Amino acid sequence: MKLEINDLSLTFHGQSAPVLSHVNFADSFGSLAIIGSSGGGKSTLLRLLGGLISPTSGEIRIDGDRIPTDAASLQQYRKKTGFVFQNGGLFRHMTALENITIPLIQVHGYSQEAAQMRALELLKQLGLEQDGNKHPAQLSGGQRQRVAIARALAARPSFLLLDEPTSALDPEYTSEILTVLNQLKQEGVQMIIVTHEMGFAWHACDKVAFLQNGTLLEWGESASLFQSPQTPQLKQFLSKLLEWNR
Amino acid sequence: MKHILLIPENEKPTLTAAIINTLLVSVLLIALFWISLNQIQMTLDFSFIGTYRIRLIKGFGMTVALGLIGFIISFFIGLLSALGQSCKILAVRYFCNLYVMLIRGTPLIMQIYLFFYILGTAWGIENRFVAGILILSLFEGAYIAEILRAGIQALDPEQMEAARAVGFTRKQTVRFVLLPQLIVLTVPSLTGQFASIIKDSSLLSMIAVIELTQTIREITATNFKLFEGYLFLGFLYLCLTLPITLLSKRLERRFRHEA
Ligand SMILES: Nc1ncnc2c1ncn2[C@@H]1O[C@H](COP(=O)(O)OP(=O)(O)OP(=O)(O)O)[C@@H](O)[C@H]1O
Ligand SMILES: [Mg+2]
């Protein structure tokens, strides 16, 4: 996919300091990792990419098409993306199965049977055949995230947007989810992922972008970005991470 | 013995312990009653139930009607004022806040006398049943407003954002996410409030609405069987409120993993 971000800025209502300021980006990739320290604006950028909020100024183009700003076209745009939230964002009052089928039926016009088949196929693919009738509260953190990924994939979106899908998980579940994502990537699913898992960003993502204090300081091929960071900020960020990983 | 009388921390009582202790409490209660009765040398006589059964059934029906109609009207009053409390028009918001504060801060019996006087003299509503229902609904509406407001506040904004992310329109978000979650959050308390309405309706006997309490008051005024009369009255109210309370508890348990 081709992503262009032109002079994108966002200031939240009633605040003076911008959360994102003059972000520019232009590149093509199958998978992009967004990294950076906490509060840097990564989630905000991802919500802009998902059409969940609109920028104060600037624009985003995906494969040449500008993300719209009016409510009706935004809703159409969101239908073509798959969003995975940090804690899953699964609807608590629905079972895992309903979380997948109800949007398929109501938003994408599937019949009940077709939606059921698609949902069961995905749950099976993600190793959740047994868990379709459970509510999110009855699932483990790793299972929840797999259901969230299944829901995001269900309507065959053009790409996935994932906001720290593993940060609420312990190491075992983390590697479980990362394996799933890597498999999806091999199958050709395109994704943009905000992550603290540098190993995953390095080895499983084509490109990496580094966001610090609302500014996109650096982006490029993941290997070269990690091996020869250009900005002092990224050098410092990476060396801090390495401190405990030697 | 210790295992039967005491519950270890964070454990459920065993079935035997539950039965034995329920029996124990019942025996104590009955003994206390029996001793009190003996003190005043009274023998219980419930024969009035047969004599006055038509009036009792009518009164019972009236209490059920007051509860049901009152619940429906007060739900809408509560819904409007809960929404009004977050309205953009400041005057509406203040009005709703004031309504909830004043009603919840004063006793029902004062509201009954005051509003009955106002309704009757200024608005010409002489029908005691209509006036009674209006007053009761106005009172309970303030409590329902608080239940709904708390429910709306407990809604998780992340769930609403997830609804937009899967592509729901505004209407679909309300229908498939907001309302179901609001129901899960509020239905157990609303059921409990229904039981309160049934009990509170007894105060309408003060303006001579012939519901259950008023019926018993009238009957005991002629036959002087006060003790039996009010004992039976309590039994009839429990027949209505206990099932509702149990239902409320059940709903709470059922919704636990959905909220
Ligand atoms: N809805 C909002 N209203 C006001 N400010 C917000 C809102 N959402 C985020 N912010 C602010 O914007 C800044 C960036 O937040 P964001 O969540 O995008 O950071 P992040 O890079 O995802 O951080 P983390 O790694 O901790 O998730 C923070 O200072 C945050 O307080
Ligand atoms: Mg974040």
Side-chain angles (χ1 to χ4, degrees):
Chain A
M1 63 191 280
K2 196 166 113 217
L3 173 66
E4 294 162 81
I5 303 177
N6 300 317
D7 203 33
L8 187 78
S9 294
L10 177 86
T11 308
F12 276 110
H13 193 74
Q15 292 189 341
S16 52
V19 171
L20 292 172
S21 63
H22 307 289
V23 172
N24 285 289
F25 180 98
D27 214 336
S28 295
F29 50 81
S31 56
L32 168 73
I34 302 174
I35 61 169
S37 33
S38 188
K42 303 183 298 297
S43 299
T44 307
L45 180 58
L46 204 70
R47 288 163 75 213
L48 283 163
L49 290 168
L52 292 170
I53 48 175
S54 290
T56 314
S57 64
E59 58 161 25
I60 302 174
R61 288 177 181 274
I62 286 168
D63 294 326
D65 296 327
R66 183 175 177 172
I67 297 182
T69 45
D70 63 296
S73 341
L74 264 181
Q75 189 249 334
Q76 289 303 314
Y77 170 77
R78 285 185 218 117
K79 286 167 68 170
K80 294 181 296 186
T81 67
F83 209 106
V84 177
F85 293 86
Q86 187 165 352
N87 278 312
L90 292 176
F91 301 124
R92 295 175 200 156
H93 61 292
M94 298 182 191
T95 62
L97 207 59
E98 287 166 344
N99 260 286
I100 304 172
T101 56
I102 290 179
L104 281 180
I105 296 167
Q106 300 300 333
V107 177
H108 301 280
Y110 279 51
S111 70
Q112 171 73 46
E113 294 76 42
Q116 191 86 10
M117 257 175 59
R118 175 76 178 136
L120 289 174
E121 170 193 326
L122 280 164
L123 288 180
K124 190 163 174 220
Q125 185 188 339
L126 294 173
L128 293 161
E129 306 88 319
Q130 310 296 324
D131 306 301
N133 290 320
K134 290 187 186 156
H135 280 85
Q138 297 165 308
L139 296 169
S140 75
Q143 291 172 326
R144 268 203 288 275
Q145 286 305 59
R146 278 184 282 156
V147 176
I149 291 170
R151 182 177 76 182
L153 286 171
R156 303 179 206 282
S158 340
F159 53 91
L160 288 188
L161 296 165
L162 304 111
D163 190 0
E164 300 189 25
T166 61
S167 66
L169 305 178
D170 49 31
E172 190 190 342
Y173 291 137
T174 296
S175 68
E176 170 191 309
I177 294 299
L178 294 180
T179 308
V180 166
L181 290 178
N182 196 33
Q183 256 162 20
L184 290 172
K185 197 216 145 187
Q186 308 292 337
E187 289 163 21
V189 175
Q190 310 185 103
M191 61 182 83
I192 301 176
I193 177 171
V194 172
T195 185
H196 288 302
E197 299 297 329
M198 293 306 139
F200 185 79
W202 186 336
H203 302 290
C205 295
D206 309 334
K207 304 276 162 82
V208 175
F210 173 60
L211 195 60
Q212 177 94 316
N213 291 329
T215 319
L216 191 68
L217 286 175
E218 205 172 325
W219 85 81
E221 295 284 342
S222 40
S224 66
L225 191 115
F226 281 111
Q227 278 163 343
S228 49
Q230 299 299 308
T231 54
Q233 289 95 331
L234 180 55
K235 281 179 193 155
Q236 200 196 358
F237 177 75
L238 292 176
S239 67
K240 256 196 221 158
L241 286 177
L242 281 179
E243 204 166 311
W244 295 103
N245 276 330
R246 278 184 228 279
Chain B
M1 197 61 192
K2 202 174 146 204
H3 299 289
I4 288 178
L5 291 180
L6 303 175
I7 333 176
E9 240 173 280
N10 302 326
E11 269 182 50
K12 285 179 90 182
T14 61
L15 188 65
T16 1
I19 293 175
I20 291 181
N21 283 289
T22 309
L23 277 176
L24 191 69
V25 172
S26 313
V27 167
L28 279 175
L29 265 180
I30 292 172
L32 192 69
F33 248 81
W34 194 75
I35 294 167
S36 310
L37 283 180
N38 262 353
Q39 292 284 339
I40 47 173
Q41 301 189 342
M42 190 153 80
T43 46
L44 291 181
D45 171 18
F46 283 105
S47 59
F48 70 93
I49 297 175
T51 325
Y52 295 107
R53 64 181 180 281
I54 305 282
R55 285 173 70 181
L56 284 168
I57 290 169
K58 271 192 185 161
F60 189 81
M62 182 61 104
T63 287
V64 172
L66 285 171
L68 282 175
I69 303 175
F71 183 61
I72 292 167
I73 301 180
S74 57
F75 179 79
F76 283 104
I77 295 178
L79 187 63
L80 284 180
S81 27
L83 294 176
Q85 283 182 309
S86 49
C87 179
K88 281 195 183 131
I89 306 166
L90 207 55
V92 173
R93 192 184 289 198
Y94 286 171
F95 176 79
C96 294
N97 284 341
L98 200 67
Y99 157 71
V100 172
M101 244 158 50
L102 292 183
I103 295 286
R104 284 168 56 98
T106 52
L108 177 56
I109 191 131
M110 164 245 144
Q111 292 170 25
I112 290 174
Y113 283 131
L114 187 69
F115 293 146
F116 184 60
Y117 182 70
I118 295 178
L119 281 176
T121 51
W123 302 92
I125 300 178
E126 299 287 350
N127 185 319
R128 285 159 192 277
F129 177 71
V130 175
I133 285 220
L134 285 179
I135 297 168
L136 187 64
S137 306
L138 218 55
F139 176 75
E140 306 292 344
Y143 289 83
I144 290 182
E146 281 296 290
I147 293 174
L148 294 178
R149 200 180 55 87
I152 292 171
Q153 266 181 0
L155 285 172
D156 183 351
E158 201 183 324
Q159 293 276 298
M160 302 306 135
E161 184 155 69
R164 288 193 297 141
V166 300
F168 282 147
T169 59
R170 261 171 190 277
K171 262 195 195 157
Q172 287 174 326
T173 301
V174 170
R175 181 171 156 208
F176 293 107
V177 184
L178 194 145
L179 278 185
Q181 299 207 347
L182 200 57
I183 288 173
V184 167
L185 288 166
T186 56
V187 160
S189 324
L190 285 176
T191 330
Q193 194 63 32
F194 183 38
S196 294
I197 295 181
I198 289 178
K199 283 182 297 172
D200 293 343
S201 73
S202 68
L203 282 175
L204 292 177
S205 59
M206 293 299 149
I207 53 169
V209 177
I210 321 239
E211 40 69 75
L212 201 50
T213 305
Q214 178 65 6
T215 308
I216 291 285
R217 269 161 55 110
E218 289 175 4
I219 292 172
T220 51
T222 54
N223 72 356
F224 305 110
K225 297 253 177 266
L226 273 165
F227 192 85
E228 292 92 331
Y230 284 103
L231 202 60
F232 186 56
L233 183 66
F235 169 76
L236 288 180
Y237 275 110
L238 280 179
C239 288
L240 289 172
T241 54
L242 269 191
I244 299 173
T245 311
L246 290 180
L247 179 72
S248 159
K249 286 229 164 95
R250 259 189 78 150
L251 287 173
E252 212 169 303
R253 239 176 294 137
R254 202 187 113 191
F255 287 155
R256 194 163 38 201
H257 58 267
E258 298 184 24

